[in-house]
Amino acid sequence: MFKRHDNCTCTVTFEQGSFRQDVWSKRSWEAPKTGAGAPPPKVFSQEEADRLEQEKLQQIHGLSIDKSGGSGIIELNRRMAATGQHPPDFSQFPISEDFGSVERIRNSIVNDLGVSSHKVKLDGIKNADVLEPFVKRLISIQKSTSMNIPAIVAIDVIDGDMCCVANFKPYEGILYISSRYFNSKDALLSAFSNWRNNNIMPKQLKNITFLAEHEAAHIRIPDELLKTDEAVSIWKKRKLLAENDKDIYEYFADATAIFRMNPNTQDENILAAIKYLKNGGVIV
């Protein structure tokens, strides 16, 4: 028996023989062999070690470590409080149950998006009020960009961040979605309104379509493409759209979503970002 504690980022692993499975994400793997006959340990070069370290740090896209010795999650919660960002009161939004609709969209994820069945985990999602328009937009994006989504996994809270709705983790190849937000369209839109009004997210974040476009941009834009001097220069010259865009990865994802929803935009900063991505081989 187990349950999450406040700001929990603990892992719980089910073990049976060599089989291992993460209880929260349902990701499974085989335990490595030990003793005689086991493969030799992987030895990384300094360059490979530095790259892996950066990938690990980027999983929370700019989350800083509390200088007082606390965790990054604590620092994130402090920043959320300082900017007025907070999760909605989910108790005010009744959750309907329509598991048939969830299964229908799950089949669409497999058949239309091409995600392997065993890599679609929708635990905790009780209806398709958010999931359906989200997936429909992903399908539309995939048709125009050939985007590949390796896996989609629903969990209650992503990385201990109560305000995180969705997060693509390239080093895992998983698009995580928060079941608590995906269970209530009204709660989700209420959160969007709060974040727009407090200049935490761009004013264009008004619907599920923008959310899908933003996450799809994270999937399509290689992290390496945003580490160049040119990318950093474009980001530094931007007109700050919102607090979210103080992170270069979030800025380029927002710029892509804004452009795709309004290709006629005259914003020179957005157009510069899109031109750079296209030159880098990204199908915007």
Side-chain angles (χ1 to χ4, degrees), residues 223-234:
D223 281 359
E224 292 298 323
L225 197 58
L226 304 184
K227 295 178 181 178
T228 67
D229 292 340
E230 184 178 354
V232 173
S233 176
I234 292 171

Side-chain angles (χ1 to χ4, degrees), residues 8-203:
C8 177
T9 57
C10 298
T11 59
V12 179
T13 305
F14 170 76
E15 300 183 3
Q16 185 176 40
S18 63
F19 177 80
R20 302 288 187 272
Q21 185 177 64
D22 185 293
V23 170
W24 306 124
S25 69
K26 304 304 180 185
R27 182 177 65 87
S28 59
W29 65 94
E30 290 290 324
K33 293 181 179 180
T34 58
K42 169 75 172 175
V43 178
F44 294 103
S45 67
Q46 186 62 50
E47 183 181 42
E48 290 174 318
D50 290 343
R51 177 180 58 79
L52 290 171
E53 180 183 28
Q54 288 303 313
E55 288 179 357
K56 189 67 175 177
L57 290 173
Q58 287 163 12
Q59 67 176 293
I60 43 181
H61 291 291
L63 179 62
S64 60
I65 301 300
D66 184 358
K67 304 302 183 185
S68 65
S71 70
I73 294 300
I74 292 175
E75 176 67 11
L76 179 143
N77 287 333
R78 287 175 180 168
R79 293 210 314 265
M80 283 164 44
T83 59
Q85 183 181 12
H86 57 78
D89 180 358
F90 290 97
S91 65
Q92 295 183 0
F93 303 96
I95 296 176
S96 62
E97 293 188 356
D98 185 355
F99 295 103
S101 68
V102 176
E103 184 60 24
R104 174 171 53 82
I105 301 304
R106 183 186 187 282
N107 291 335
S108 182
I109 293 173
V110 173
N111 298 323
D112 299 323
L113 275 177
V115 182
S116 298
S117 178
H118 68 283
K119 292 185 177 180
V120 181
K121 308 293 184 182
L122 302 178
D123 300 346
I125 296 185
K126 301 179 180 180
N127 61 69
D129 292 353
V130 175
L131 186 64
E132 183 168 21
F134 184 76
V135 170
K136 282 186 175 180
R137 189 66 177 193
L138 291 181
I139 293 172
S140 174
I141 297 169
Q142 186 186 66
K143 288 179 178 178
S144 61
T145 67
S146 300
M147 172 184 64
N148 175 50
I149 302 178
I152 295 181
V153 174
I155 56 178
D156 185 35
V157 179
I158 302 172
D159 286 338
D161 182 356
M162 301 293 288
C163 291
C164 186
V165 178
N167 185 11
F168 177 66
K169 298 189 177 183
Y171 67 95
E172 292 183 20
I174 298 176
L175 172 59
Y176 287 99
I177 57 177
S178 169
S179 56
R180 61 172 53 199
Y181 282 99
F182 271 66
N183 273 332
S184 175
K185 183 177 181 179
D186 290 338
L188 179 65
L189 296 181
S190 173
F192 286 173
S193 177
N194 169 261
W195 299 337
R196 289 196 315 271
N197 292 338
N198 285 283
N199 199 39
I200 296 163
M201 299 293 292
K203 64 181 185 301

